[in-house]
Amino acid sequence: MALSPQDLHRIAQSRGWRDGRVEVFDTASGKVTVKGLRATRHAARYHLLNGVARLLGLPFLQAAPMPGGRQAQQTEVARLRALHGVGARVPEVLHVDEDHFVMRWLGQDHLGDVIQSHHPQAAALWREAGDALVRLHAAGQYLSQGFARNMIVDGAPAAPAWPG
């Protein structure tokens, strides 16, 4: 899937992803999701949490680094490309710019919503998502936020599209 220069210009000029950080576009090649750059996060809160965790002797409470800014965007794009490279059903990265990136749109039905709605296939979908995580780990890959709210259910719903 390639984006036209007109689509890239329209995306670059939009206020939607700047104001709301994420925006879905209909393009000549199909639907895409645009994610804007998140502001760099100040490290003081992480240092405070890590200090308290050390004082309490609870290292598992230490914060995972979440830098925001360009570093976070580069990390997300790299993870999506690596996962796509091993066949995981993740959004394909189509374009990267300084302040946003564009990826193929997978859908809008999140596994978390499907489970909470008591869909008849909710348990089977949950198991499929878990199996997909096992396959990713076996391929030497990982997710930074493999939560049900971040997994898209493809179609009817019948199967989780991310990860797997």
Side-chain angles (χ1 to χ4, degrees):
M1 170 186 231
L3 296 170
S4 71
Q6 295 83 4
D7 287 332
L8 290 173
H9 179 74
R10 185 168 54 102
I11 289 167
Q13 299 303 311
S14 177
R15 294 286 328 154
W17 59 264
R18 290 181 196 330
D19 296 339
R21 192 160 170 264
V22 177
E23 185 176 6
V24 176
F25 285 85
D26 286 309
T27 70
S29 301
K31 277 190 174 184
V32 298
T33 302
V34 179
K35 284 188 82 175
L37 190 70
R38 176 176 275 163
T40 302
R41 296 179 175 180
H42 195 282
R45 290 183 285 171
Y46 299 112
H47 293 307
L48 177 63
L49 177 60
N50 290 344
V52 169
R54 278 191 299 277
L55 283 172
L56 296 174
L58 302 171
F60 54 86
L61 289 182
Q62 290 187 1
M66 296 180 62
R70 284 194 177 91
Q71 183 180 354
Q73 178 175 295
Q74 290 169 350
T75 299
E76 185 170 4
V77 167
R79 292 301 318 130
L80 287 170
R81 286 179 170 160
L83 291 164
H84 191 263
V86 297
R89 292 173 58 206
V90 298
E92 178 185 4
V93 176
L94 304 171
H95 176 78
V96 178
D97 210 317
E98 272 186 30
D99 55 358
H100 68 280
F101 72 97
V102 183
M103 59 190 153
R104 186 183 306 265
W105 189 76
L106 289 182
Q108 64 188 17
D109 296 323
H110 298 265
L111 179 58
D113 293 340
V114 171
I115 290 168
Q116 288 183 342
S117 73
H118 304 289
H119 188 279
Q121 295 181 23
L125 290 166
W126 178 253
R127 280 190 298 279
E128 283 185 49
D131 291 344
L133 286 171
V134 169
R135 286 192 305 275
L136 284 176
H137 291 167
Q141 296 296 319
Y142 60 90
L143 303 175
S144 65
Q145 296 185 17
F147 306 119
R149 69 173 185 259
N150 291 335
M151 295 182 185
I152 302 297
V153 176
D154 196 3
W162 184 49

